[in-house]
Amino acid sequence: MKTLVIAEKPSMGRTIAAVMEPRGKNNKTYIEGQDYIITWAIGHLVELAQPEKYDAKFKRWNLNDLPIIPQSFKLVPNFKTRDQLKTIAELSKRCQTLINACDAGREGQLIFYFIQRHLGLKQPVKRLWISDLTPETIRRGFMQLKDETEYANLTKAAKSRSEADWLVGMNGSRAFTTQVKALVSVGRVQTPVLALIYDRQKEMEEFKKANYYEIVAHFRQDDFEYKGKWQGERILDRKFAETIVEKVNLKRGRIAQYEQKETKEYPFKLYDLTLLQREANAKLHFSAKKTLDLAQALYEKHKLISYPRTNSNYVTEENIPEMYRTLESLRGTDYGALANGANKSIVHKNNRSICNPSKVEDHHAILPTSKKPGKLTVDEQKLYDMIVRRFLSQFYPPAEYQVHNVITEVEGERFKTQVKQLLSAGWKVVYPETPKGKKKIEVEQEQEEMVASFPIEPSKPALCQRADCMEKETTPPSLYTEGTLLKAMESAGKRIEDEELRDAMKDSGLGTPATRAATIERLKKVGYIAMEGKKLALTPKGRSTIEWIRQIGIELLTSPEMTGQWERRLNEIAKGQASDTSFLEQVKKLTHLIVEKVRNQPLPNIATESIRQTTAARLPLGTCPRAGCGGQIVEGNKGYGCTHYKTGCTFVIWKNSFGKKISEGMVKTLITKGKTGKLKFKSKTGHQYEAKLVLKSESTGELELEFINNKKAEM
């Protein structure tokens, strides 16, 4: 009899079949060869049953029926993909062995386990555990198959995560919704993430700005000029600052301290998924979901990178030969010059900034494979470029700097200057924004301008040519972007800048690299947060939900630290270091607590109205600019119109104008400022140009273009 291979997705199944059974017969839902029948799931073919499958009375949401805690969780087929499940059931009857070829991770383990349990498959199971889909890796994986029993603890962790989310999400959402009489969604991970956003926005709203003053002196020593910043406690009194300016202006000073030292800056760490999402959001403005989707395409469709849903920034000794092969393969590509300049000897098993097996669990860092790229979309190419350059940088030496620290004293007042002179670019030549060969000064803190050298003479005096008093204003914390929110989720809300400490927090963050993007998208979908440009802003519904949860005393549900500890416990279950039974008992206790708190402390009216209103209607984007109207601009199916349309207001901004999809953020800017910032457009002939959208008519919402530099594009 043959062996049945079950992959997670059709594309993965076909890739495996092309390697293991290249002459196999394609039967649409499976491929059959001489030794193997390769089929696939389509995501989750089987899922946890809804409450009404346990008792028909649960079909009606009733607070008195809560909490719903099954003795044993039931499984049901996903209705949309039930035919594929039937295919697996039929094929399994013809096979004596199974191979679990789903994604090598917790979620892939759960997908296979649910199929196996629901269909009652009794055959012995082997596990294919690979980190990329190149032919060499697939063949090696089949030669090194392991018993599925070796992954029993990972299965327990996957099952525990799924059941915990069901218990908290199902019971919490039903409890809150029945009280509010409008849909309220809560969850084990999504609610603490919403609490992070709430706390940041409250911190920003309650921030009180304060003015302060900085003094910058401009010094000259012979023909050399430099700046220095006054040293002392923050100045709040303008007159005091002006007194110092008058005191030092045009006075001769001395170099009180001068220190120079050489420092090295090593390449940034290889990417894990969260770091890739954070940087792609900052540099390319990609959402977390978009980055994940692009990375998945580079992995599954193009076979150009290793498994992307990893939480490690390191590799093991086994990966190093493959890294060498990839480096060689890049020589014949657009990265050839950089590959030729790389030094293999830098990447070795004793280089702990790259090779650290203790920090690799399921998967190593994201690496490019040795396959040469074919045709990629523009965005796929951008993300691939980030991954390749990060990989290549590991084969280059550190950047070397000469750091100059100077204290200049004038009339008893001290001014600090700090500059970094780039001596050797090292790995920075991999990045196009770093000039090659030419030495430059990179200035930090007080020293801002670039200079060719820093020829200061410590024994000579320096003249203060001029001193400036600059008024500054303290700034509130910024709203989260998706990138900064991912960073906060990774450390369970703790503001950790030290990368070593951040590494230690990785197993106790909010969610996993594979689920964080989906959590953010979920918060948008249920109307708890909205995009304001690149920022994530709380909606009234999101604000009321968090305030109510905290008011009735369910802090645990909004606690990032608690959820982070649960994530740590799931990781310990996967390693066999903790009990899945004890974990679920703790989850059940929280479920009981949520229901009792909601039952005993009804929602305040003000929160009720806020949640109901924002659930029933879309949030207004601003006041209608039409003179005397007073209506609100809201999103419709094809455009953004006024709520007073029934009384004759004709204001509307169409969602597609000049070939551009108009976002909520653009509409807010148009109705408040009259024009957007600079945007990119494409003409009918394919020519790209830049322009601003301008609100031409405040009565009708008609738009026009304001071309950049007054150069009208080829339309």
Side-chain angles (χ1 to χ4, degrees):
M1 294 180 77
K2 298 179 180 180
T3 296
L4 180 62
V5 181
I6 303 176
E8 186 164 323
K9 298 174 183 175
S11 60
M12 296 173 67
R14 293 188 180 102
T15 299
I16 292 170
V19 175
M20 301 308 298
E21 292 287 6
R23 297 180 181 176
K25 182 181 178 182
N26 190 339
N27 294 284
K28 292 188 178 180
T29 56
Y30 65 96
I31 297 170
E32 184 165 357
Q34 185 174 347
D35 299 312
Y36 300 102
I37 301 176
I38 298 100
T39 189
W40 42 80
I42 307 170
H44 281 273
L45 298 184
V46 180
E47 50 199 24
L48 293 178
Q50 293 293 307
E52 54 266 29
K53 293 294 182 181
Y54 298 92
D55 192 319
K57 71 177 182 179
F58 294 146
K59 195 164 188 177
R60 183 180 180 85
W61 290 26
N62 188 328
L63 186 59
N64 294 324
D65 291 333
L66 303 179
I68 303 167
I69 300 181
Q71 291 296 317
S72 175
F73 282 85
K74 295 181 179 181
L75 298 176
V76 294
N78 183 325
F79 181 79
K80 293 180 180 179
T81 54
R82 64 191 185 283
D83 289 342
Q84 186 63 21
L85 185 64
K86 291 177 183 177
T87 296
I88 294 175
E90 291 301 317
L91 293 174
S92 67
K93 296 173 184 176
R94 299 167 47 200
C95 299
Q96 62 182 1
T97 307
L98 306 178
I99 293 178
N100 175 3
C102 292
D103 273 1
R106 193 166 75 188
E107 206 60 24
Q109 201 67 16
L110 186 68
I111 288 171
F112 180 86
Y113 168 74
F114 277 179
I115 292 171
Q116 182 189 31
R117 183 183 142 191
H118 181 70
L119 295 179
L121 305 180
K122 304 298 182 184
Q123 296 95 324
V125 181
K126 296 290 185 180
R127 185 54 157 118
L128 176 68
W129 193 274
I130 55 177
S131 289
D132 65 60
L133 294 172
T134 58
E136 298 82 5
T137 300
I138 291 171
R139 290 191 194 97
R140 186 166 60 248
F142 269 79
M143 291 174 63
Q144 300 172 352
L145 292 170
K146 297 182 179 180
D147 285 331
E148 179 76 358
T149 53
E150 293 186 34
Y151 297 90
N153 288 325
L154 183 62
T155 302
K156 287 180 181 179
K159 180 172 171 286
S160 297
R161 193 279 308 159
S162 178
E163 293 176 0
D165 286 351
W166 192 99
L167 288 168
V168 175
M170 195 70 68
N171 285 287
S173 296
R174 286 187 173 217
F176 289 126
T177 297
T178 53
Q179 283 290 74
V180 179
K181 296 180 174 54
L183 184 61
V184 178
S185 174
V186 300
R188 182 183 63 88
V189 175
Q190 77 172 45
T191 304
V193 174
L194 180 61
L196 283 179
I197 298 168
Y198 173 91
D199 290 339
R200 172 60 62 87
Q201 189 151 329
K202 285 286 286 184
E203 189 179 353
M204 187 188 76
E205 291 167 354
E206 293 171 0
F207 182 85
K208 293 182 180 177
K209 293 181 180 179
N211 292 335
Y212 66 97
Y213 301 89
E214 284 185 358
I215 302 169
V216 176
H218 299 252
F219 296 107
R220 184 183 184 91
Q221 189 186 72
D222 296 332
D223 293 329
F224 175 57
E225 296 182 354
Y226 66 98
K227 294 179 185 178
K229 182 179 173 184
W230 183 80
Q231 299 298 290
E233 293 184 5
R234 177 173 283 180
I235 301 174
L236 303 178
D237 182 359
R238 186 182 188 92
K239 288 184 178 179
F240 178 69
E242 290 173 344
T243 300
I244 295 174
V245 168
E246 292 173 7
K247 182 179 179 183
V248 302
N249 198 31
L250 299 176
K251 299 292 176 60
R252 192 174 299 276
R254 68 184 185 91
I255 308 301
Q257 291 179 26
Y258 175 58
E259 177 191 45
Q260 60 174 330
K261 61 181 179 180
E262 290 192 3
T263 63
K264 294 181 178 181
E265 187 176 316
Y266 290 86
F268 298 123
K269 293 186 298 186
L270 290 165
Y271 286 120
D272 62 10
L273 177 59
T274 302
L275 183 59
L276 181 64
Q277 289 171 316
R278 282 166 46 193
E279 291 195 13
N281 181 254
K283 296 176 181 178
L284 305 174
H285 311 309
F286 290 172
S287 69
K289 182 180 184 301
K290 180 172 182 176
T291 298
L292 176 57
D293 290 345
L294 290 170
Q296 203 66 26
L298 291 172
Y299 166 65
E300 284 183 24
K301 180 180 176 182
H302 301 291
K303 322 294 188 294
L304 290 176
I305 66 170
S306 61
Y307 184 73
R309 297 170 185 249
T310 175
N311 70 343
S312 178
N313 304 102
Y314 302 91
V315 301
T316 67
E317 186 177 344
E318 294 175 354
N319 303 127
I320 291 177
E322 184 60 35
M323 291 178 73
Y324 291 164
R325 285 192 287 273
T326 298
L327 181 64
E328 290 299 320
S329 73
L330 289 171
R331 295 188 193 281
T333 69
D334 292 342
Y335 302 98
L338 293 173
N340 290 333
N343 183 353
K344 278 187 181 179
S345 66
I346 293 175
V347 176
H348 54 81
K349 68 178 182 180
N350 295 319
N351 184 342
R352 281 294 178 259
S353 64
I354 301 170
C355 182
N356 194 336
S358 67
K359 294 186 177 181
V360 179
E361 295 180 358
D362 293 342
H363 295 282
H364 56 71
I366 299 172
L367 299 172
T369 66
S370 55
K371 184 181 178 184
K372 293 186 178 180
K375 187 174 178 62
L376 301 177
T377 67
V378 172
D379 288 342
E380 286 172 345
Q381 178 59 47
K382 287 178 180 178
L383 198 70
Y384 179 66
D385 182 73
M386 285 180 61
I387 294 167
V388 171
R389 290 183 187 277
R390 183 59 55 90
F391 168 81
L392 285 169
S393 70
Q394 309 302 309
F395 291 89
Y396 279 78
E400 296 180 3
Y401 293 91
Q402 186 83 32
V403 178
H404 304 265
N405 291 306
V406 184
I407 298 293
T408 306
E409 188 175 284
V410 185
E411 297 292 312
E413 305 295 341
R414 296 164 72 86
F415 296 84
K416 183 178 181 181
T417 305
Q418 188 176 59
V419 298
K420 279 173 66 177
Q421 180 184 356
L422 182 63
L423 303 176
S424 173
W427 61 272
K428 293 197 171 186
V429 300
V430 172
Y431 292 89
E433 61 267 24
T434 303
K436 290 184 282 186
K438 185 178 178 181
K439 290 184 180 181
K440 71 173 184 177
I441 292 287
E442 287 194 352
V443 187
E444 292 187 338
Q445 297 178 21
E446 293 81 3
Q447 187 76 22
E448 295 181 355
E449 77 275 10
M450 300 293 184
V451 292
S453 61
F454 195 73
I456 199 163
E457 291 285 344
S459 59
K460 289 185 177 182
L463 175 67
C464 177
Q465 299 183 107
R466 152 175 131 253
D468 298 325
C469 172
M470 297 182 293
E471 185 174 358
K472 301 274 187 173
E473 190 177 67
T474 55
T475 55
S478 297
L479 292 175
Y480 283 118
T481 63
E482 289 202 21
T484 56
L485 180 60
L486 285 167
K487 185 177 182 180
M489 290 172 73
E490 193 173 38
S491 57
K494 291 185 173 67
R495 293 180 180 175
I496 300 173
E497 300 304 324
D498 184 276
E499 289 301 325
E500 288 299 316
L501 290 176
R502 184 171 292 282
D503 270 348
M505 283 291 298
K506 276 193 171 184
D507 65 348
S508 55
L510 299 181
T512 67
T515 62
R516 286 175 187 140
T519 299
I520 296 172
E521 292 302 312
R522 174 69 180 166
L523 290 173
K524 294 177 189 174
K525 184 177 180 180
V526 298
Y528 287 156
I529 61 174
M531 296 300 298
E532 287 189 358
K534 300 170 189 173
K535 307 288 187 180
L536 296 169
L538 201 66
T539 66
K541 180 180 178 182
R543 182 188 297 269
S544 296
T545 299
I546 292 298
E547 288 176 350
W548 179 32
I549 291 172
R550 286 178 169 169
Q551 182 177 330
I552 63 177
I554 318 178
E555 279 290 337
L556 286 177
L557 187 55
T558 63
S559 167
E561 292 81 7
M562 173 59 72
T563 305
Q565 289 304 311
W566 280 14
E567 197 62 47
R568 180 189 291 272
R569 185 58 55 86
L570 287 169
N571 282 307
E572 290 172 349
I573 293 169
K575 297 173 185 176
Q577 298 169 353
S579 164
D580 56 326
T581 304
S582 297
F583 170 77
L584 284 170
E585 285 304 315
Q586 291 298 315
V587 174
K588 290 173 185 177
K589 287 180 182 178
L590 175 62
T591 304
H592 277 283
L593 175 67
I594 292 169
V595 173
E596 288 307 309
K597 289 285 187 180
V598 173
R599 181 180 287 126
N600 295 331
Q601 299 186 42
L603 178 67
N605 288 335
I606 186 168
T608 304
E609 290 307 311
S610 175
I611 294 175
R612 283 178 185 165
Q613 289 171 9
T614 55
T615 300
R618 286 173 171 157
L619 295 173
L621 304 178
T623 303
C624 179
R626 183 168 175 260
C629 175
Q632 295 292 311
I633 302 302
V634 295
E635 182 182 0
N637 291 331
K638 295 183 179 180
Y640 302 91
C642 180
T643 54
H644 286 184
Y645 71 95
K646 289 184 178 180
T647 56
C649 183
T650 58
F651 185 95
V652 63
I653 295 176
W654 300 111
K655 285 187 176 179
N656 201 314
S657 298
F658 300 101
K660 191 80 174 174
K661 185 177 180 181
I662 308 301
S663 69
E664 289 185 1
M666 292 178 193
V667 173
K668 288 180 182 179
T669 303
L670 284 165
I671 62 179
T672 55
K673 298 182 179 179
K675 67 171 67 175
T676 66
K678 185 169 61 176
L679 301 170
K680 290 184 178 180
F681 294 81
K682 185 179 286 188
S683 70
K684 294 177 181 178
T685 60
H687 174 74
Q688 286 195 339
Y689 60 98
E690 294 181 334
K692 296 180 180 180
L693 281 172
V694 178
L695 183 59
K696 182 179 180 180
S697 171
E698 292 185 348
S699 296
T700 65
E702 182 183 357
L703 304 179
E704 64 181 6
L705 292 178
E706 178 182 297
F707 296 95
I708 305 302
N709 298 326
N710 294 321
K711 293 182 179 179
K712 190 167 183 178
E714 173 189 334
M715 296 298 290

